[in-house]
Amino acid sequence: MPMYKANSPEAKAALEALEARRGESLEKALRVADEMIAGVRKGGDGFVAEQIARFDKVSIAPGAIRIAPRDVTIDGDLAEAIDTAIARVESFHREQLPQPYVWNNGTSSVVHRVRPLQRVGIYAPGGRAVYISTLIMCAVPARIAGVTDLVVATTPAAADRDELHYVCRKLGIREIYRAGGAVGIAALALGTESLARVDKIVGPGNQYVTAAKMRLIGQIGIDMTAGPTELIVIADDDADASLVAADLVAQAEHGPDSAVICLTTSAAIGRQMPERVITMLVESIDEAVAIADRLAPEHLSIHAKYPEAIAQRVENCAAIYCGPSSPGAAGDYIIGPNHVLPTAGSARFFSPLGVYDFVKRSNVVSLSAEDLAEIGPKAELLAVFEGLPNHARSIAARREQAPGAEPEKELSPKGEQS
Amino acid sequence: MPMYKANSPEAKAALEALEARRGESLEKALRVADEMIAGVRKGGDGFVAEQIARFDKVSIAPGAIRIAPRDVTIDGDLAEAIDTAIARVESFHREQLPQPYVWNNGTSSVVHRVRPLQRVGIYAPGGRAVYISTLIMCAVPARIAGVTDLVVATTPAAADRDELHYVCRKLGIREIYRAGGAVGIAALALGTESLARVDKIVGPGNQYVTAAKMRLIGQIGIDMTAGPTELIVIADDDADASLVAADLVAQAEHGPDSAVICLTTSAAIGRQMPERVITMLVESIDEAVAIADRLAPEHLSIHAKYPEAIAQRVENCAAIYCGPSSPGAAGDYIIGPNHVLPTAGSARFFSPLGVYDFVKRSNVVSLSAEDLAEIGPKAELLAVFEGLPNHARSIAARREQAPGAEPEKELSPKGEQS
């Protein structure tokens, strides 16, 4: 792919094409998701077993789709790598647990309660490989939040791997549901004969998985919607072209729809980028920052003299890697931060998966009679203004029954509720 | 409506009917939402003006849909009530701002950054009335988060009211887009000639609004999906039947699809409930708690001797009101906690709207060469296991270029990237 000046019509067209691709409709995937959701609702495990036979060419009895993790022994080096990844991810996420608080104004109090979700489903994509790293990135923050009831859904092939069982055992995941794609998502959300429905589903997947999550939001919680993976590199004259290229080639490895973009002030570096990379020559780091902010990429890798200063100026990106010893690919596995990240420009509003995604909050109100006497009439005024007189009456009724309260009829618009 | 024993077949049927209603498909609303989204994408303000003419019977020139809040004077008592509501909501929400942190293991650091969203759209429902309380509940936490760019969308009739303009001025909302329903949501999400697209849309609405939000998630952030409003009362023998009834009648005022349920240990109280209320006689408070938890209602009001102890045992409810001087209707306006709440059982996983809904997080990684030397090989092992050798190579390349690093070829599966 040629190198463009960032302000050229060709560069503009390339950026617009990229943005247009992101906005592409999931219409077909949504139709498939609807079919899977309706099927699971009606046919439960039996329907899921049919889909497994159809897509995965594996025959599993409906009652055997859900299995418990086996006690396994895996390669020692791999086990050590997994253990290190879990320990570092845990260490990084520990500070993310949202805190409850009590709001108190002297007489009244409101408890802002933070509790773990009860049951969470993790989707671990299982294509050619088994993504145990995704399982770690999802399960560790869930455990820190206090979620005890965790289930993973993945393809039968991935569910067969000892390494997956090893991670499940390590992280207290007691159920594996051997169904991938939209049907796996539907089973997690709706429940089947063998699988209790979950409260929230997290983890990335292909467009069918994303479509099913979009369809089911409200019946369950979801973490975010996911598109193909993305990396922008910002490189100044100080950058090492071979390292920049290595980052971009790694990202491209996820598939032909991964977006890999190099924004550089150096034509010499630009010329050394592989064919597959969209390379743009920028006049300044400011111009590169503006393009990165507009695209809001999943990953940003900064190869420059003062990388942290550039990172500071980028608003829209959830995972930023600074300097020569911070390879993004290590962040996918072991550094500590989460690799479940917003794609397709959604870093404008989504965040990396974190402990905060695994809690629910409640406000528990204990209002005092004194406080009610003071704010009640004002609330009544607002209720009447909004056309809800019975709301006002319900407040007035409380005021009038409060110990020691004098009826303040003039503030109660229509008298009390009998 | 008769009073059932909670364990009777009739009660079971009533609960199942309620749950089935919640699961009802939004199919028609989704089709309308799709039409509105496609229309806005193609026709911008002109299409929106057509819909306003069609549904609101008002003619507005496309360029005049967006207006700035006017400097207005409103009724003094109402202004004071609004000011008090804003002050209390602000005071309650202030502690919810998520904190950034720096994770440091001696040589490496990761900054967990928390920044406000840049531009937020608030949907304020405007049916027969103008819901200024919703505007307050959405804008105040957004402002605490640091969002400076706020726009409200509501129907032309609601947008005409001085009180809305007063609240906008108070809360620094500089744009009003006079379009309600799905077309208003589509305009906020996609942008038009006169309206810059937002990053996230918050605020409740009817099924068309909810359908449009569901369709657009991923292109924008949304707070939650909303259904009809709901209240469960748990009442023991200590309860005052007239206050219980007043709460339930207030909630029913939102419309015929609001669910209002009384769970009581007292047949005497049950008999005094109005016709519209689903009343169930429970054998114990435990039984009431179990039903409340299963239904996960939007609001729970506890009329009992020890209300806080009961609240403690209810897992799934985002707004709980305890005791005789805590009317839920006051919570809709002025107590302090948010009134934008999960409905239809979604308190299992959604939370009340809060400051945390208006931030985005980023992880900024600066790994040290020492740290990379230690964890790099482990990450490479994991990458190779997951079938991503170029990921491994990009990490190995960094290790080998790090100052003072010795090549550790045996751990780099396929040699370095050239």
Side-chain angles (χ1 to χ4, degrees):
Chain A
M1 205 167 274
M3 174 168 63
Y4 304 123
K5 284 203 171 167
N7 58 3
S8 66
E10 292 83 359
K12 209 167 276 184
L15 290 178
E16 273 162 19
L18 192 70
E19 287 183 316
R21 206 190 65 187
R22 289 164 157 193
E24 258 170 36
S25 169
L26 286 170
E27 215 44 61
K28 195 194 137 208
L30 286 166
R31 274 202 306 279
V32 173
D34 283 343
E35 191 198 321
M36 294 298 139
I37 293 164
V40 169
R41 209 185 284 280
K42 207 171 151 195
D45 288 322
F47 177 82
V48 177
E50 281 167 33
Q51 305 313 308
I52 294 172
R54 181 177 158 200
F55 292 110
D56 302 284
K57 318 286 176 204
V58 186
S59 170
I60 303 183
I65 303 173
R66 184 171 72 91
I67 57 174
R70 299 185 297 265
D71 191 6
V72 292
T73 306
I74 63 168
D75 173 77
D77 288 345
L78 193 61
E80 200 191 319
I82 289 169
D83 295 354
T84 302
I86 290 173
R88 287 187 68 118
V89 171
E90 197 191 328
S91 170
F92 173 74
H93 283 78
R94 221 177 276 138
E95 283 196 59
Q96 289 176 1
L97 186 61
Q99 292 306 305
Y101 65 91
V102 180
W103 176 82
N104 196 304
N105 73 345
T107 58
S108 298
S109 71
V110 182
V111 180
H112 181 74
R113 212 167 74 175
V114 180
R115 290 195 177 170
L117 300 181
Q118 292 187 296
R119 183 167 162 84
V120 167
I122 297 171
Y123 187 78
R128 292 156 297 179
V130 47
Y131 292 105
I132 50 174
S133 57
T134 299
L135 190 52
I136 293 170
M137 295 293 177
C138 293
V140 170
R143 293 304 303 257
I144 295 172
V147 179
T148 51
D149 199 1
L150 284 164
V151 48
V152 57
T154 192
T155 58
D160 207 36
R161 302 291 295 268
D162 281 348
E163 294 82 1
L164 182 92
H165 290 252
Y166 178 82
V167 173
C168 286
R169 286 257 175 170
K170 269 265 161 192
L171 296 175
I173 300 166
R174 287 188 298 260
E175 299 170 65
I176 301 170
Y177 195 73
R178 297 187 282 168
V183 78
I185 298 294
L188 287 174
L190 303 171
T192 67
E193 300 90 324
S194 74
L195 184 72
R197 73 166 186 196
V198 302
D199 296 319
K200 186 167 184 167
I201 298 175
V202 301
N206 62 21
Q207 57 175 329
Y208 299 99
V209 167
T210 297
K213 284 164 78 178
M214 285 174 72
R215 279 303 208 195
L216 289 160
I217 187 174
Q219 294 182 59
I220 47 150
I222 67 170
D223 51 349
M224 58 187 101
T225 55
T229 190
E230 303 166 319
L231 171 66
I232 290 182
V233 171
I234 294 179
D236 71 7
D237 302 36
D238 257 34
D240 178 318
S242 74
L243 297 183
V244 173
D247 277 2
L248 290 160
V249 167
Q251 199 65 24
E253 187 172 33
H254 285 287
D257 54 359
S258 306
V260 286
I261 299 165
C262 176
L263 308 174
T264 181
T265 52
S266 157
I269 287 174
R271 273 191 295 271
Q272 294 174 69
M273 290 304 107
E275 187 63 13
R276 168 82 163 71
V277 176
I278 300 173
T279 304
M280 292 189 190
L281 196 61
V282 289
E283 304 222 329
S284 65
I285 292 295
D286 278 346
E287 194 178 13
V289 166
I291 294 171
D293 244 353
R294 171 176 161 191
L295 289 177
E298 185 189 12
H299 303 95
L300 175 66
S301 186
I302 305 177
H303 295 244
K305 196 162 185 184
Y306 302 108
E308 281 85 2
I310 297 170
Q312 186 62 21
R313 287 148 63 199
V314 175
E315 192 63 30
N316 299 324
C317 179
I320 305 180
Y321 296 91
C322 296
S325 49
S326 303
D332 290 346
Y333 293 104
I334 207 163
I335 296 177
N338 215 286
H339 85 194
V340 180
L341 294 166
T343 57
S346 64
R348 282 162 47 223
F349 45 84
F350 287 147
S351 296
L353 192 69
V355 179
Y356 34 82
D357 287 307
F358 296 97
V359 298
K360 58 180 182 227
R361 300 154 183 268
S362 308
N363 296 318
V364 182
V365 173
S366 298
L367 203 65
S368 69
E370 299 95 294
D371 215 5
L372 179 62
E374 196 186 313
I375 62 176
K378 292 186 171 75
E380 291 158 42
L381 210 57
L382 289 164
V384 170
F385 171 76
E386 292 193 355
L388 299 169
N390 290 332
H391 278 59
R393 283 184 200 118
S394 76
I395 302 167
R398 302 273 198 145
R399 282 199 294 120
E400 288 155 17
Q401 300 248 0
E406 290 170 54
E408 298 183 61
K409 296 274 161 144
E410 77 283 3
L411 284 161
S412 163
K414 304 249 168 91
E416 80 243 64
Q417 172 81 15
S418 70
Chain B
M1 205 167 275
M3 174 168 61
Y4 303 122
K5 284 202 171 168
N7 58 2
S8 66
E10 292 82 1
K12 210 166 272 184
L15 289 177
E16 274 163 18
L18 193 70
E19 287 183 317
R21 206 191 65 188
R22 288 164 156 192
E24 260 171 34
S25 167
L26 286 170
E27 216 43 63
K28 195 197 137 207
L30 286 166
R31 274 203 306 278
V32 172
D34 282 344
E35 189 198 322
M36 295 298 138
I37 292 165
V40 169
R41 209 185 283 280
K42 208 171 151 197
D45 288 322
F47 176 82
V48 177
E50 281 168 34
Q51 305 314 307
I52 294 172
R54 183 177 155 200
F55 292 109
D56 302 284
K57 318 287 176 202
V58 187
S59 170
I60 303 182
I65 302 172
R66 185 172 71 91
I67 57 173
R70 299 185 298 263
D71 191 5
V72 291
T73 306
I74 63 168
D75 173 77
D77 287 343
L78 193 60
E80 201 192 318
I82 290 170
D83 295 355
T84 302
I86 290 173
R88 287 187 69 117
V89 172
E90 197 192 328
S91 170
F92 172 75
H93 284 78
R94 221 178 275 138
E95 282 195 62
Q96 290 176 359
L97 186 61
Q99 291 305 305
Y101 66 91
V102 179
W103 176 81
N104 196 305
N105 73 344
T107 58
S108 298
S109 71
V110 181
V111 180
H112 181 75
R113 212 167 73 175
V114 180
R115 290 194 177 170
L117 300 181
Q118 292 187 295
R119 182 167 163 84
V120 168
I122 297 170
Y123 187 77
R128 292 157 294 180
V130 47
Y131 291 105
I132 50 173
S133 57
T134 299
L135 190 52
I136 293 170
M137 294 293 176
C138 292
V140 169
R143 292 305 303 258
I144 294 171
V147 179
T148 51
D149 199 0
L150 285 165
V151 49
V152 56
T154 191
T155 58
D160 206 36
R161 301 290 296 266
D162 280 349
E163 293 81 2
L164 183 93
H165 290 253
Y166 178 82
V167 173
C168 285
R169 287 258 174 169
K170 269 265 163 191
L171 297 175
I173 301 165
R174 287 188 297 261
E175 300 170 63
I176 301 169
Y177 195 72
R178 297 186 283 168
V183 79
I185 298 294
L188 286 174
L190 303 171
T192 67
E193 301 90 322
S194 74
L195 184 73
R197 72 165 187 199
V198 302
D199 297 318
K200 186 166 187 168
I201 298 175
V202 299
N206 61 21
Q207 57 173 332
Y208 299 99
V209 166
T210 297
K213 284 164 78 178
M214 285 173 72
R215 280 303 210 194
L216 289 161
I217 187 173
Q219 294 182 60
I220 47 151
I222 67 170
D223 50 350
M224 59 186 101
T225 56
T229 191
E230 304 166 318
L231 170 67
I232 289 182
V233 171
I234 294 179
D236 71 7
D237 303 35
D238 257 34
D240 178 316
S242 75
L243 296 183
V244 173
D247 278 2
L248 291 161
V249 166
Q251 200 66 24
E253 186 172 34
H254 286 287
D257 54 359
S258 306
V260 286
I261 299 164
C262 176
L263 308 174
T264 182
T265 52
S266 157
I269 287 174
R271 275 192 294 272
Q272 296 174 69
M273 291 303 107
E275 187 63 13
R276 169 83 165 69
V277 175
I278 300 174
T279 305
M280 293 190 189
L281 197 60
V282 290
E283 304 222 328
S284 64
I285 292 296
D286 278 345
E287 192 178 15
V289 166
I291 294 171
D293 244 354
R294 169 174 163 194
L295 290 177
E298 185 188 14
H299 304 95
L300 174 67
S301 186
I302 305 176
H303 295 244
K305 195 160 186 186
Y306 303 108
E308 281 85 2
I310 297 170
Q312 187 61 21
R313 286 149 62 200
V314 175
E315 193 64 29
N316 299 323
C317 179
I320 305 180
Y321 296 91
C322 295
S325 50
S326 302
D332 291 346
Y333 294 104
I334 207 162
I335 295 177
N338 216 285
H339 85 196
V340 180
L341 295 166
T343 57
S346 64
R348 282 163 46 222
F349 45 84
F350 287 147
S351 296
L353 192 69
V355 178
Y356 35 82
D357 287 306
F358 296 97
V359 298
K360 59 181 180 225
R361 299 151 183 270
S362 309
N363 296 318
V364 183
V365 173
S366 299
L367 203 65
S368 68
E370 299 96 294
D371 214 7
L372 180 62
E374 197 187 313
I375 63 175
K378 294 187 170 76
E380 291 157 42
L381 211 56
L382 289 163
V384 170
F385 172 76
E386 291 193 357
L388 298 169
N390 290 331
H391 277 60
R393 283 183 199 119
S394 77
I395 302 167
R398 300 274 198 143
R399 280 199 296 121
E400 288 155 17
Q401 299 247 359
E406 290 169 55
E408 296 182 62
K409 295 275 160 140
E410 77 283 3
L411 284 161
S412 163
K414 304 249 171 90
E416 81 242 65
Q417 170 83 15
S418 69

